[in-house]
Amino acid sequence: MKCKICGTKAEVRLKSHNIALCREHFLQFFRRRVERTIRRFKMFTKDARILVAVSGGKDSMGLLHLLNSLGYNVTGYHINLGIPEYSDISVDKVKKFHDMTGIPVIIESVVDELGFGIHEVAQKVHRPICSICGMVKRYMINRVAQKFDVVATGHNLDDEVATLFGNLLNWQSDYLARQYPVLPAADGFTKKVKPYVLVSEYESAIYTFFVDIDYVMIECPYSKHATSIFYKNIFNEIEDHMPGTKLRFLKGFYELRDIFPSTTREKLAPCEKCGYPTTAGVCSFCRLKDKLHHA
Ligand code: Q46
Ligand code: ZN
Ligand code: ZN
């Protein structure tokens, strides 16, 4: 197997693009595709202050590294969820990443905010852990994002395809109307973008490996039963038989998505306690804090 560009020994074969590439030309190919996505969806320009949400995993750490190497003004943001072992390893990898690259990273902790790790919070308020975790992460990211022009996350093609599939299976027209690589700034929330939407999980993993970033290999212990993993497996099988399907499916949706009208959202006003935009007087994060206080 030879590199399509230079003819030396290829290290990566990308079935969906029908090419094989050496390390150097894979890195070039990958960088160009992400840059093209950034331009095509008008995500940000070189003067924007970009906050990259990093979990410690391959996608977000790779994205932070890549944007920095392309000359963008990036800062990483990591939330320590307080989950034994998993969170310790994640914080450790993010700190090591900062030491190695010099890229600034902000680390905030759920235990500092709420007094408990996220699993204990969920137990105390009798709510599914991932729904509480999602709400807390959204709140903390949106809050720190106030100081930035745009928030970038490492969602890749496989993530977006799984989400799209789930939304279609359940005809979630409101979610479908909003599923796009760019969510404009609105109602006091900073713009959000996903520069990796057109690169696969496999390509992202190879990028992160080739640039020698040490990332968290283990999954969050609560993610085992996630439906999205089930959908991803289905799509990997389809992709195996028909390379390029994931890309076609997602790109085709982006072209057609106007057929899903977005419903008008309720009016938001600042939370009475913290100022976060909410429909409910007091936002769900402040209500959670109160509940924990009285639990
Ligand atoms: S929501 Fe659930 Fe994730 Fe939070 S508790 Fe773990 S699996 S980290 S994306
Ligand atoms: Zn080559
Ligand atoms: Zn609040």
Side-chain angles (χ1 to χ4, degrees):
M1 210 170 53
K2 296 223 159 94
C3 170
K4 194 181 175 180
I5 316 275
C6 68
T8 59
K9 190 174 175 288
E11 282 190 60
V12 189
R13 186 165 168 226
L14 302 173
K15 266 169 105 184
S16 55
H17 297 277
N18 198 21
I19 48 170
L21 295 166
C22 69
R23 184 174 291 223
E24 182 194 333
H25 287 117
F26 168 79
L27 288 172
Q28 189 186 67
F29 175 78
F30 186 82
R31 283 194 187 104
R32 282 194 185 150
R33 292 219 347 271
V34 176
E35 268 193 297
R36 216 177 300 145
T37 307
I38 293 167
R39 276 200 305 273
R40 174 174 164 193
F41 293 100
K42 298 189 172 57
M43 293 185 170
F44 41 72
T45 50
K46 291 271 155 80
D47 53 356
R49 292 162 305 163
I50 306 162
L51 183 76
V52 181
V54 288
S55 62
K58 63 183 180 322
D59 301 304
S60 52
M61 301 263 268
L63 175 64
L64 181 56
H65 179 277
L66 175 61
L67 294 181
N68 180 66
S69 73
L70 291 172
Y72 289 103
N73 175 1
V74 284
T75 301
Y77 176 61
H78 178 72
I79 300 174
N80 178 348
L81 297 168
I83 298 172
E85 200 184 343
Y86 171 70
S87 294
D88 303 329
I89 296 174
S90 306
V91 171
D92 194 49
K93 301 277 180 196
V94 171
K95 282 186 178 161
K96 271 197 192 137
F97 174 86
H98 163 74
D99 293 342
M100 189 181 115
T101 61
I103 299 172
V105 179
I106 301 167
I107 300 179
E108 290 187 323
S109 143
V110 168
V111 177
D112 290 347
E113 295 285 331
L114 299 171
F116 307 95
I118 201 72
H119 54 298
E120 294 162 306
V121 171
Q123 252 171 22
K124 284 186 186 290
V125 298
H126 310 291
R127 288 262 311 274
I129 181 163
C130 291
S131 90
I132 280 285
C133 180
M135 184 274 280
V136 168
K137 284 195 290 193
R138 261 192 312 279
Y139 178 91
M140 291 174 69
I141 291 175
N142 283 326
R143 187 178 61 186
V144 68
Q146 296 298 318
K147 298 185 206 114
F148 292 83
D149 301 309
V150 56
V151 179
T153 53
H155 295 96
N156 59 42
L157 175 65
D158 297 60
D159 296 324
E160 292 305 290
V161 163
T163 306
L164 173 58
F165 189 52
N167 287 341
L168 282 171
L169 279 183
N170 298 299
W171 292 115
Q172 306 262 34
S173 56
D174 203 30
Y175 288 153
L176 287 164
R178 271 183 283 141
Q179 190 176 348
Y180 203 60
V182 174
L183 206 64
D187 301 321
F189 292 115
T190 306
K191 179 179 180 180
K192 296 198 178 68
V193 298
K194 300 172 181 173
Y196 267 13
V197 279
L198 301 181
V199 295
S200 70
E201 195 163 315
Y202 173 68
E203 293 163 80
S204 159
I206 292 182
Y207 174 81
T208 309
F209 174 72
F210 277 176
V211 294
D212 214 13
I213 295 170
D214 186 16
Y215 60 87
V216 187
M217 301 267 194
I218 56 166
E219 297 277 338
C220 168
Y222 301 100
S223 71
K224 287 193 187 92
H225 303 294
T227 329
S228 64
I229 296 176
F230 175 60
Y231 293 157
K232 279 183 184 177
N233 290 338
I234 293 175
F235 267 89
N236 283 338
E237 252 186 69
I238 299 177
E239 185 78 20
D240 232 25
H241 290 282
M242 293 177 283
T245 301
K246 290 178 194 171
L247 256 182
R248 272 199 308 281
F249 183 52
L250 193 67
K251 280 181 163 175
F253 167 70
Y254 289 155
E255 276 157 32
L256 283 177
R257 85 181 175 119
D258 288 346
I259 58 176
F260 296 101
S262 55
T263 47
T264 42
R265 289 214 263 161
E266 283 179 80
K267 262 224 130 348
L268 297 175
C271 165
E272 288 162 18
K273 296 199 168 181
C274 72
Y276 187 81
T278 177
T279 51
V282 174
C283 77
S284 38
F285 185 82
C286 288
R287 274 182 284 141
L288 174 66
K289 259 181 151 175
D290 277 354
K291 230 176 171 178
L292 286 170
H293 197 68
H294 296 114

